[in-house]
Amino acid sequence: MFEPLLPLDEALALLRAALPEKGLPRLGADRDDPALDRSAMDGAALRHADGMAPRRILGTLFAGDDPAVFRVGPGEAVRIMTGAALPSGADAVVPVEDLRIEGGQLFLSRPPEPGEAVRPQGSQARSGDELLPEGAPFNAARLGLAAQVGHRIELPPRIQVGIASTGNELGKDPLPYQIRDSNGPMLTALAYRLGADALALPSLADDPETLRQRLSNLGGIQILLTSGGVSMGDKDHLPGVLKELGARILFHKIRLKPGKPMLVAILGDCVILGLPGNPQSAYLNALLFLPVVLARLEGTPERNPWRRGQLVEAVKNPGERPLLQPCTLEGDRMFPLRSKGSGDLITLAKADVCAWIPEGGMEAGETRYIEVV
Ligand code: AMP
Ligand code: MG
């Protein structure tokens, strides 16, 4: 029977809507940019009107020198380096390639042009101009611009992401009926790869009291990734405990394979990504949802994780959910791997990407993919 599960895009939209957007303050020019006429080349600053006449060299100006020590008159020039302010009287810079210096005299190989190789005062911006409107997401170039206009903006601290696996079956030296915790280290590595301050927490037994205790003492953790315990089994206590603690459940269950039981909730100041326990599901849902939360909490722009590529052969996908199919990638060509389903970490570990296969499956052809990082 058809279950009206939440499509991925709608789940992502709900998550975005629940988290406020942060942005940078308005950035305005605190002075003309450049603040004075400046040389754009290494060469000689001179008066273009003197044409080809040889010039007497008065000295040299380096970037950072006060240009007031020189005044360029008729028949004179000052050697000048890129970034140095122009001395008064000069209105052009002839680059070194086009001049020759002999016995303190400067000779040109061609006539100078007015304003040549000069960055005029205020040509980039006038004092008071708006350079970036309020609310732009943080990026490195914008931080540089803030510094340029004398505005000190601190780097946003790394977001603290806690990772806790759940399951009574997890053991360090597993008996045949137990398994090792692969999700914990995998999700910790993923959070680290995505730029978070990843903190591996002890794994949690499948009992409501243990979950309650953990969720009631989150310390400074801003995002909690759990794996397991969110589906319909008798020991899947996470949804119930979250409700009991008054968490705001944004959604539970999405239309995606693997990863149907995915749950996202907000408890106090902490965003909880309740990932399914099967390793492919846990990985792929974290890969899809964690970057969105990180971007919102950091105030950085969200990056589109999808690329387009060519699936080289047909992939079946019976049922009502789109499938993320592990593939290797060569150029933009995707080669599907024989995955044994959501528990198959061996195949995921061989994959470069996961291809989006619509419900019902698809023939060879173009589709989107997400990179396995
Ligand atoms: P669950 O979502 O808790 O029902 O778990 C689904 C499947 O994923 C079960 O086969 C679990 O044994 C397995 N699983 C759960 N947690 C982990 C983990 N941390 N590492 C590896 N496999 C897990
Ligand atoms: Mg479990």
Side-chain angles (χ1 to χ4, degrees):
M1 207 190 85
F2 178 73
E3 273 185 85
L5 290 169
L6 189 66
L8 176 61
D9 286 347
E10 289 179 28
L12 288 165
L14 279 177
L15 181 55
R16 287 186 195 108
L19 300 172
E21 267 183 285
K22 277 190 213 160
L24 294 171
R26 173 189 185 274
L27 295 179
D30 66 324
R31 55 184 193 160
D32 286 353
D33 179 13
L36 294 172
D37 291 351
R38 239 181 244 155
S39 177
M41 309 276 280
D42 296 326
L46 39 71
R47 297 151 49 97
H48 88 277
D50 298 348
M52 292 291 287
R55 315 290 208 276
R56 190 168 69 84
I57 295 176
L58 304 178
T60 304
L61 280 173
F62 294 93
D65 286 350
D66 182 349
V69 292
F70 297 115
R71 214 208 114 62
V72 177
E76 293 175 339
V78 169
R79 294 180 66 240
I80 194 163
M81 306 300 143
T82 306
L86 236 64
S88 65
D91 62 5
V93 171
V94 175
V96 281
E97 296 80 12
D98 296 326
L99 53 82
R100 181 167 55 85
I101 294 171
E102 256 178 48
Q105 288 272 100
L106 181 145
F107 302 91
L108 303 176
S109 60
R110 57 166 179 83
E113 289 174 29
E116 182 180 345
V118 173
R119 292 208 177 108
Q121 177 179 343
S123 56
Q124 287 264 293
R126 285 291 174 193
S127 180
D129 282 356
E130 179 171 279
L131 307 179
L132 199 67
E134 187 185 340
F138 170 99
N139 73 23
R142 291 168 186 164
L143 202 85
L145 180 62
Q148 182 176 299
V149 298
H151 204 118
R152 175 143 185 83
I153 294 175
E154 297 294 331
L155 282 175
R158 295 273 175 214
I159 304 301
Q160 281 205 14
V161 178
I163 298 98
S165 300
T166 71
N168 290 347
E169 70 274 42
L170 305 178
K172 262 209 171 76
D173 298 306
L175 294 163
Y177 49 85
Q178 297 177 318
I179 57 169
R180 293 196 181 91
D181 172 20
S182 52
N183 288 348
M186 173 175 70
L187 297 170
T188 306
L190 179 61
Y192 170 85
R193 289 280 278 124
L194 296 175
D197 180 3
L199 177 67
L201 302 169
S203 54
L204 304 169
D206 280 321
D207 82 277
E209 190 44 40
T210 309
L211 276 180
R212 213 174 284 129
Q213 289 232 343
R214 175 73 271 171
L215 295 172
S216 309
N217 297 288
L218 289 169
I221 291 169
Q222 294 157 282
I223 305 173
L224 178 68
L225 306 182
T226 61
S227 74
V230 279
S231 32
M232 305 300 279
D234 292 355
K235 286 206 173 285
D236 291 335
H237 297 300
L238 187 67
V241 170
L242 280 170
K243 275 182 205 141
E244 203 183 289
L245 293 174
R248 183 175 152 212
I249 312 277
L250 299 185
F251 56 86
H252 184 194
K253 297 201 176 128
I254 57 170
R255 198 140 77 88
L256 189 65
K257 195 159 66 180
K260 181 168 144 186
M262 179 67 192
L263 178 152
V264 174
I266 298 179
L267 180 62
D269 292 332
C270 186
V271 180
I272 296 175
L273 301 188
L275 305 160
N278 272 307
Q280 278 198 17
S281 316
Y283 179 88
L284 288 168
N285 279 281
L287 186 63
L288 291 167
F289 289 100
L290 181 56
V292 175
V293 186
L294 286 173
R296 274 297 206 269
L297 299 190
E298 291 166 352
T300 54
E302 207 184 293
R303 293 173 71 183
N304 177 3
W306 297 101
R307 302 271 176 283
R308 296 203 73 84
Q310 299 293 330
L311 192 71
V312 301
E313 61 187 63
V315 174
K316 294 195 182 98
N317 180 25
E320 304 287 351
R321 287 180 288 155
L323 165 71
L324 285 170
Q325 165 69 45
C327 298
T328 56
L329 184 72
E330 285 173 32
D332 73 339
R333 290 167 24 103
M334 292 180 276
F335 297 82
L337 293 164
R338 301 274 160 263
S339 174
K340 298 202 170 66
S342 59
D344 184 355
L345 184 54
I346 298 172
T347 299
L348 184 65
K350 289 178 182 156
D352 300 310
V353 299
C354 286
W356 180 270
I357 311 293
E359 33 301 45
M362 67 178 279
E363 298 300 319
E366 189 177 318
T367 188
R368 59 177 171 156
Y369 69 80
I370 189 166
E371 201 188 338
V372 175
V373 299

